[in-house]
Amino acid sequence: MPVARSGAARYLSVMKVRDADILVVPGYTNSGPDHWQSRWQSKLSTARRVEQTEWSKPVREDWTASVAKAVNEAEKPVVLVAHSLGVAAAVQAIAQFRKPVAGAFFVAPPDVANPKVKPRHLMTFGPYPREPLPFPSIVIASRNDPFCAFDVAEDIAGAWGSLFIDAGETGHLNADSGFGPWPEGSMTFAKFLTDLKA
């Protein structure tokens, strides 16, 4: 994994998997069994998936409500692990959170303000808020993601106050682009988790 390029986040003390409710938030059409999110979920003892009623016809209000419900039902501080449209759903749900979120690990956020990006469902999840997020976060983006230009992802991460990581030319960072096993991502997440406040 290339080094971080920009952004800053303040991490406070040590957190372990058992200290957190890890919420896996997939994107459009869900994450299949070979996707890194599914692999991580099976290995992390406190991880569970935020399920959506309509994975192929995402409705912003429904998706954000599902994320908020999962956060608000959590018994431990939440760590969000979101990919693609799951990032947009998680960020748009923040105002509905009633339980503490310790941090967020955001991968391949889509450009929800670009009318040329398909599917058109993405546009309904925009625009992104520009205020700093109320918890530490990482944004990992690819230089050739078909759903978001690299400079757009970098700008979003800067607005959110996220640590921004350049993943190089890695497509959409999903199973189709070879990211089933993702050891670099797993190591980055492990470091992020241990730096969070328990």
Side-chain angles (χ1 to χ4, degrees):
M1 178 69 66
V3 297
R5 284 169 49 87
S6 65
R10 282 178 282 180
Y11 308 134
L12 302 171
S13 63
V14 176
M15 177 176 280
K16 296 180 180 178
V17 170
R18 66 172 180 266
D19 300 321
D21 279 330
I22 298 172
L23 297 183
V24 175
V25 190
Y28 179 62
T29 72
N30 201 355
S31 293
D34 293 331
H35 194 287
W36 59 267
Q37 279 189 312
S38 299
R39 291 168 183 257
W40 290 14
Q41 182 181 346
S42 69
K43 292 179 180 178
L44 298 170
S45 61
T46 62
R48 60 190 172 94
R49 182 167 305 219
V50 176
E51 296 289 348
Q52 302 293 351
T53 303
E54 290 288 348
W55 286 107
S56 59
K57 295 180 180 178
V59 176
R60 172 174 165 168
E61 291 75 16
D62 295 343
W63 277 44
T64 56
S66 295
V67 174
K69 184 174 184 288
V71 169
N72 295 336
E73 290 178 348
E75 297 180 355
K76 301 173 183 177
V78 167
V79 176
L80 298 165
V81 179
H83 177 259
S84 191
L85 196 59
V87 175
V91 171
Q92 299 292 11
I94 288 174
Q96 302 173 55
F97 292 172
R98 300 290 176 262
K99 293 284 183 73
V101 171
F105 189 84
F106 291 153
V107 180
D111 184 352
V112 292
N114 183 355
K116 295 181 180 179
V117 174
K118 295 184 187 295
R120 301 300 288 275
H121 298 299
L122 299 183
M123 290 284 292
T124 64
F125 282 74
Y128 283 123
R130 302 286 301 176
E131 299 80 18
L133 300 181
F135 41 73
S137 58
I138 283 180
V139 171
I140 299 178
S142 163
R143 289 182 170 270
N144 61 343
D145 189 336
F147 299 102
C148 187
F150 184 76
D151 61 337
V152 172
E154 187 172 25
D155 178 65
I156 293 166
W160 292 345
S162 304
L163 180 69
F164 183 71
I165 296 179
D166 176 356
E169 295 190 355
T170 48
H172 195 46
L173 287 154
N174 58 5
D176 289 342
S177 57
F179 288 84
W182 186 24
E184 299 92 347
S186 183
M187 289 186 291
T188 302
F189 178 70
K191 176 63 168 64
F192 175 68
L193 193 66
T194 58
D195 286 342
L196 293 176
K197 180 181 179 182

